[in-house]
Amino acid sequence: MLLITGTIVCLGQTDAYSIKKVVIDAGHGGKDPGATVGKSYEKDIVLDVALKTGKLIKKMYPDVKVILTRDGDFFVPLKDRADLANKQKADLFISIHANICSNNSTSGTETYILGRHRSEENLEVAKMENSVILLEDDYTTKYEGFDPNSAESYIMFELIQNEFLEQSRMFAEKVQNHFTSHANAKTGVLGKIVSWY
């Protein structure tokens, strides 16, 4: 699964491989609010961004089919989001999130890809984002014993992570470059691509 926060760029390339279907995943939703600051919920912010991103893709690239994992405030289990992308044979899966940082002076963008680099920080992000599994009914059966709080559970991802690693890295780099050149986003501490397993 590719996890990316950002906007679509360079879908209309004339390379041998082109993107025909994009799944846009507005993170969280329904009973899972995501990050919360006052009366602002991540689930609402990312839904707005996902809807706008989908409209922008349709406008700029009419031949690209856009599929949303959710178009309203409702809960979608993580497995169902991945199943939708696989069933639709999507070329690209973009999951949009709005993370919080306890340091108020920190701002910028992060683009996560499934990668080889291991760190405690990356593992903690993976655990936090996957903890939504615990809100799902019968999660132990559905995810075959996967425990989002256990480092050992992430070992299975290492077996599949290399298949599309280079394409993911290239797309993530384009997203980050677009933030810098078009959205005037700061690229300081958080202007980065992070391998996430």
Side-chain angles (χ1 to χ4, degrees):
M1 185 185 308
L2 171 70
L3 175 72
I4 286 192
T5 302
T7 55
I8 289 291
V9 290
C10 301
L11 289 179
Q13 291 180 340
T14 56
D15 297 345
Y17 181 81
S18 62
I19 295 172
K20 301 289 186 209
K21 288 183 186 175
V22 175
V23 171
I24 301 175
D25 173 44
H28 308 283
K31 63 185 176 180
D32 175 20
T36 304
V37 177
K39 293 184 179 183
S40 296
Y41 301 106
E42 179 180 2
K43 67 178 182 174
D44 299 326
I45 295 167
V46 299
L47 177 60
D48 185 51
V49 171
L51 294 171
K52 287 178 180 175
T53 301
K55 285 180 185 176
L56 183 62
I57 292 170
K58 288 178 186 178
K59 180 180 177 182
M60 293 179 67
Y61 307 101
D63 293 337
V64 175
K65 182 176 181 181
V66 175
I67 303 151
L68 299 169
T69 58
R70 67 181 184 94
D71 57 5
D73 185 19
F74 51 87
F75 180 76
V76 180
L78 292 181
K79 184 177 185 312
D80 293 355
R81 296 170 196 246
D83 286 349
L84 173 67
N86 290 328
K87 192 179 297 182
Q88 290 290 328
K89 297 185 180 1
D91 300 299
L92 183 61
F93 181 92
I94 302 170
S95 187
I96 300 175
H97 291 261
N99 294 334
I100 279 189
C101 184
S102 58
N103 183 344
N104 291 336
S105 65
T106 302
S107 64
T109 61
E110 295 175 301
T111 303
Y112 287 86
I113 62 172
L114 186 66
R116 290 181 290 241
H117 179 70
R118 286 194 198 184
S119 75
E120 189 63 30
E121 179 187 6
N122 292 352
L123 178 59
E124 291 309 310
V125 170
K127 286 179 179 180
M128 181 181 65
E129 291 299 338
N130 286 321
S131 67
V132 68
I133 290 170
L134 303 175
L135 296 175
E136 299 178 24
D137 295 330
D138 198 26
Y139 71 89
T140 53
T141 302
K142 188 186 294 184
Y143 295 99
E144 299 176 4
F146 175 80
D147 177 359
N149 295 314
S150 166
E152 290 78 20
S153 289
Y154 291 88
I155 291 171
M156 69 177 185
F157 292 128
E158 293 180 24
L159 302 175
I160 60 168
Q161 66 193 6
N162 291 325
E163 188 173 358
F164 298 107
L165 181 61
E166 184 59 19
Q167 293 95 326
S168 297
R169 189 202 56 76
M170 288 176 11
F171 182 76
E173 189 173 284
K174 288 179 184 295
V175 169
Q176 281 301 126
N177 290 341
H178 187 77
F179 271 123
T180 304
S181 62
H182 292 83
N184 297 319
K186 293 181 181 178
T187 58
V189 176
L190 289 181
K192 62 182 178 178
I193 299 169
V194 180
S195 296
W196 178 40
Y197 74 97

